[in-house]
Every structure is written in structure tokens, then in C-alpha cells.
């Protein structure tokens, strides 16, 4: 594949320095030179074009060009309580693989070029990742936790996307089981949640020695740990023990938020999961779960505001399937809008959707910015993402690894 050069665009990416997520770089009348899968030069058009002799030209018609989105809380094999979820649970292994591959393809087309899977059934995520890397399936780059670790009867224990463990030795074995399969990180359920009929959000589900065992084992192997967690006391203990990331954080307090900020524990707030009745209705989610989820919404937003005030690092994650058509856009963009409108603002939302996740994943040398050496994982949109996170609703062109996978312009083929 020869060189290509992207022109007639404004490059926008985050240049936060780690102490603030406000920094952004804007290059008007820019050009991006791509060789193979990676970017080799980004800059003003007049500086890049002399290096692009013979390159194929892609004219973006004045679009804003950003790094591809990174969704840090995905489940390609999600099966919530209700009719649709039962259908997914009943898929045989071959059907499940096709179901997940279709979700991956749809995810990439909506502009999400990297995902972090945080509990998938039967280790099918590893097969999907291999297929995408080999080019036999189409989808985003996958970082995965494999199966999430739970106590016996704990949150999510009903499905094959979790592994039940008990005691410190049991949880050590659970971590090593996921690492043996190829996990990039570890996910653990340390409290109840909204999808378990016989549990509460505020129920602690691990003892201190179990939590410590997960963290020590994963960290010894160079892997980070993220935790499904709702109540402040449970989160406080995990943060003190060295937890790297919190999912949801439904019931934070200012004190716990401050501890998270001080220890560098990130938050993936998944605000959309407590304000998505239309999605629940579509899946046939039972009334008990809808009441628990939607009822948690106001406190969830308060927790998010506390975390923002404390300076906790925010990362984008939808929990809902990233590609799901929802409220006029997809679930990934709708979550980013909730985050921005809840106090994050557009510039920090861009960071939370690109460079922030790249750094957490240890992949900032490959993804998260539009600069030399990074993969050419790019999205183009008509609106300015620094004006509003809703700009991502206008995505009309997607590239992953130097290959155009979506182009909505008249006369252009949709590639996948």
C-alpha cells in the first residue's frame, strides 16, 4: 500500500500534560501523511506536501480531524436481564463469535477505533482480537480483561463472562487464569450493581485480603486493575490498596473522590447506564432493573460532579454496546455528551475520549493523538469538537491503521 496524504482538514487533538486535560492542539489547513498503518508527518499543508510526492490524496472537504475514539467500557457479548439478553446467553459458540464480530464491525464504523473490553463470554474476546489483528474480521483495536472476577454469587455471576473466585488464593488464581489467556488488564467486581436481582449497589462483595490479592498479583505481572464499584466505602478501601480505575462510581463522596485524585485512580463514569430507559425497553429489561438503574441516576450525577471537583481523571466508557443507536446518535457519543454536559466540557471530553484512555492503556505511543509514529486511527466530522462534544454526531469518515473504513460522501463506497 502506497503513501497517502490527507488534506483540506483541521486537525484537533489533545495535548494535555497530565496535570490538566484542557490542552488541545488545533492545526488549520493541515495535512497528514500516512505510510502503511502509521502517520509519518502532520503539520501545515505547505510543510507536509513536499514530502508527499506520489502519495494518494484524500480531500476531507474542510472537516475536523481527530484521533479515533477510545471506549473504555465495552461488552461485545452483553446480556442484560430480559428477553434480548436471554437470546445472547443462548447463542452457541459459533453464533456468539459472529454476534461479537458484527458488534465490533459496527463499533469501528461509528468512529471507535479502540475498545477496552471489561467482561466477555467464554474468552471469545481473545479470538475476536486475533481475527481483527489478522485481518479476517473488521473491528477496533481490542484491549481486554477476559472474564471479570467475582465472588461466588457476586455481581454478574450468572454468565460465562465472569469467573467466580473465593478467598485470596482463589482470586490470585483468577487473575492468573485471565493473564494466561492473554488479558491486558484485570476487571474485578467489588460491589453489587444494578443488573443483579438479588443484590444492592451498596453491597461489598470482596474482603480486603481478596481485593489485595487481585491488585498485588495483577500489578506484579504489569497489569492494571479496574473495578466495578458503586459505594464510597468499598471504593475507598480499594483505592487505598492501589486500584487503578473505578467503573461507574455510583455513590462517591467528596472525601473518596479526593483520595482517587490523589492516588491517580481514574473514573469511567458510564453515566448513560442510569438514564437509558429507551434502551432497556428495547431489550425487554425487567421493571426491577429499570427502577434500580434509573433511580440511581440523580446520585450518580452527584458522584460524577464530586469527582470532577476533586480532579479525578475521567475516561470515556459507555457500558451499553458502543455502536447502539440511541437518542439520535450512538451510545459512545451520547455518553461523551453526558460527560461534557455534566461539567467536563468539550476540550476535556476530547481528552477523555482519546489521549486519556491511551495513557491509561499504556498505548500513548500508538494511539490517542494525530502525530508522527501513531497509528492512522482517525475520524473526520463536520462540526468542531472543541465547541461541543456533540460534534462527534457529525462523524462521516473513519480510518483505522491507514485504511478508510467509512466514507459517507456521495459516490463513495462504504467499505465495511
Amino acid at each position: 500500500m502506497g503513501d497517502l496524504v490527507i488534506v483540506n482538514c483541521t486537525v484537533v487533538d489533545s495535548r494535555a500534560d497530565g496535570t490538566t486535560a484542557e490542552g488541545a492542539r488545533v492545526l488549520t489547513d493541515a495535512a497528514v501523511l500516512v505510510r502503511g498503518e502509521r502517520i509519518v508527518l502532520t503539520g501545515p499543508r505547505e510543510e507536509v506536501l513536499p514530502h508527499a510526492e506520489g502519495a494518494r490524496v484524500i480531500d476531507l472537504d474542510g472537516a475536523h480531524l481527530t484521533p479515533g475514539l477510545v471506549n473504555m467500557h465495552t461488552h461485545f457479548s452483553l446480556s442484560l436481564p430480559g428477553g434480548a439478553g436471554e437470546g445472547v446467553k443462548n447463542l452457541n459458540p459459533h453464533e456468539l463469535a459472529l454476534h461479537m464480530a458484527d458488534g465490533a464491525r459496527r463499533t469501528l464504523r461509528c468512529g471507535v477505533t479502540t475498545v477496552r473490553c471489561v467482561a466477555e463470554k467464554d474468552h471469545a474476546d481473545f479470538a475476536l482480537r486475533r481475527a481483527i489483528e489478522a485481518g479476517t474480521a473488521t473491528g477496533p483495536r481490542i484491549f481486554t480483561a477476559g472474564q471479570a472476577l467475582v465472588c461466588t454469587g457476586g455481581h454478574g455471576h450468572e454468565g460465562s463472562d465472569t469467573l467466580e473466585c473465593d478467598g485470596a488464593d482463589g482470586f490470585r488464581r483468577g487473575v492468573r487464569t485471565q493473564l494466561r489467556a492473554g488479558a491486558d488488564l484485570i476487571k474485578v467486581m467489588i460491589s453489587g450493581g444494578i443488573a443483579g436481582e438479588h443484590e444492592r449497589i451498596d453491597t461489598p462483595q470482596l474482603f480486603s485480603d481478596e481485593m489485595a490479592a487481585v491488585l498485588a498479583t495483577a500489578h506484579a505481572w504489569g497489569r492494571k486493575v479496574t473495578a466495578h464499584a458503586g459505594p464510597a466505602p468499598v471504593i475507598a478501601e480499594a483505592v487505598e490498596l492501589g486500584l487503578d480505575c473505578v467503573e461507574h462510581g455510583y455513590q462517591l463522596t467528596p472525601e473518596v473522590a479526593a483520595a482517587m485524585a490523589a492516588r491517580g485512580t481514574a473514573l469511567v463514569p458510564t453515566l448513560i447506564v442510569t438514564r437509558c430507559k429507551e434502551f432497556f425497553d428495547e431489550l425487554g429489561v425487567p421493571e426491577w432493573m429499570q427502577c434500580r438503574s434509573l433511580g440511581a441516576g440523580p446520585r450518580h450525577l452527584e458522584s460524577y460532579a464530586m469527582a470532577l471537583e476533586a480532579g479525578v481523571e475521567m475516561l470515556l466508557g459507555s457500558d451499553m454496546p458502543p455502536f447502539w443507536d440511541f437518542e439520535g446518535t450512538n451510545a459512545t457519543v451520547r455518553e461523551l455528551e453526558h460527560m461534557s454536559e455534566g461539567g467536563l466540557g468539550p476540550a476535556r471530553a476530547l481528552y477523555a475520549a482519546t489521549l486519556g484512555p491511551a495513557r491509561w492503556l499504556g498505548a500513548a505511543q500508538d494511539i490517542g493523538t494525530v502525530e508522527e509514529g501513531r497509528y492512522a486511527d482517525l475520524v473526520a466530522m463536520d462540526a468542531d469538537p472543541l465547541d461541543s462534544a456533540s460534534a462527534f454526531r457529525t462523524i462521516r469518515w473513519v480510518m483505522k491503521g491507514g485504511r478508510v473504513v467509512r466514507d459517507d460522501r456521495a459516490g463513495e463506497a462504504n467499505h465495511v
Side-chain angles (χ1 to χ4, degrees), residues 103-134:
R105 178 188 62 83
R106 295 167 69 184
T107 294
L108 180 58
R109 279 189 50 81
C110 75
V112 176
T113 55
T114 300
V115 297
R116 187 186 68 164
C117 296
V118 286
E120 301 290 2
K121 290 178 171 52
D122 302 320
H123 282 173
D125 42 325
F126 298 109
L128 178 60
R129 181 174 67 184
R130 288 192 295 271
I132 291 171
E133 290 174 349

Side-chain angles (χ1 to χ4, degrees), residues 73-388:
H73 192 125
T74 64
H75 305 278
F76 286 127
S77 55
L78 180 70
S79 55
L80 294 176
E86 285 303 311
V88 174
K89 282 184 179 180
N90 292 330
L91 295 175
N92 67 40
H94 313 295
E95 293 167 333
L96 179 65
L98 292 170
H99 172 80
M100 293 175 66
D102 179 64
R105 178 188 62 83
R106 295 167 69 184
T107 294
L108 180 58
R109 279 189 50 81
C110 75
V112 176
T113 55
T114 300
V115 297
R116 187 186 68 164
C117 296
V118 286
E120 301 290 2
K121 290 178 171 52
D122 302 320
H123 282 173
D125 42 325
F126 298 109
L128 178 60
R129 181 174 67 184
R130 288 192 295 271
I132 291 171
E133 290 174 349
T136 57
T138 299
R141 303 183 193 283
I142 292 178
F143 293 80
T144 187
Q147 295 168 305
L149 308 182
V150 303
C151 67
T152 295
H155 181 69
H157 75 278
E158 305 91 344
S160 61
D161 51 358
T162 58
L163 179 66
E164 289 182 307
C165 310
D166 287 296
D169 285 345
F171 275 95
R172 287 189 191 97
R173 182 180 297 275
V175 171
R176 290 168 180 154
T177 298
Q178 305 316 306
L179 297 177
R180 180 180 63 191
D184 304 291
L185 65 140
I186 296 297
K187 165 81 174 293
V188 62
M189 312 294 203
I190 64 175
S191 78
I194 62 178
E197 186 172 6
H198 304 295
E199 64 185 39
R200 301 193 311 270
I201 289 175
D202 60 357
T203 305
Q205 293 194 347
L206 264 69
F207 290 108
S208 298
D209 63 333
E210 294 173 322
M211 199 179 310
V214 170
L215 291 162
T217 307
H219 289 167
W221 284 67
R223 306 301 200 279
K224 291 182 178 178
V225 178
T226 194
H228 162 98
V234 170
I235 294 170
E237 181 178 17
V239 168
E240 181 64 26
L241 289 170
L243 182 65
D244 301 293
C245 187
V246 170
E247 309 296 310
H248 314 304
Y250 299 119
Q251 300 171 351
L252 295 175
T253 63
E255 294 77 17
V256 174
M260 290 175 63
R263 295 294 295 266
T265 307
L267 176 63
V268 180
T270 68
L271 298 174
I272 200 170
V273 301
T274 56
R275 40 199 41 83
C276 60
K277 179 170 175 51
E278 175 188 314
F279 172 68
F280 289 152
D281 287 344
E282 190 173 351
L283 296 187
V285 169
E287 187 66 19
W288 65 260
M289 180 177 165
Q290 294 211 29
C291 289
R292 182 182 297 169
S293 173
L294 303 176
R299 182 69 176 87
H300 194 184
L301 274 182
E302 289 176 5
S303 292
Y304 178 64
M306 292 171 189
L308 283 176
E309 178 67 24
V312 173
E313 181 171 20
M314 299 294 174
L315 305 175
L316 169 66
S318 63
D319 204 352
M320 283 175 59
F323 56 83
W324 203 269
D325 291 334
F326 185 69
E327 297 184 349
T329 184
N330 58 69
T332 301
V333 172
R334 191 71 188 99
E335 172 65 21
L336 195 61
E337 290 176 330
H338 281 307
M339 294 173 70
S340 181
E341 294 160 4
L344 192 64
R348 293 174 66 193
L350 177 63
Y351 174 87
T354 55
L355 181 56
R359 286 175 170 166
W360 195 95
L361 292 167
Q365 75 282 1
D366 288 324
I367 61 173
T369 55
V370 186
E371 63 181 314
E372 295 77 2
R374 275 56 176 180
Y375 284 119
D377 293 357
L378 306 166
V379 294
M381 65 208 76
D382 291 320
D384 185 347
L386 296 181
D387 286 342
S388 171

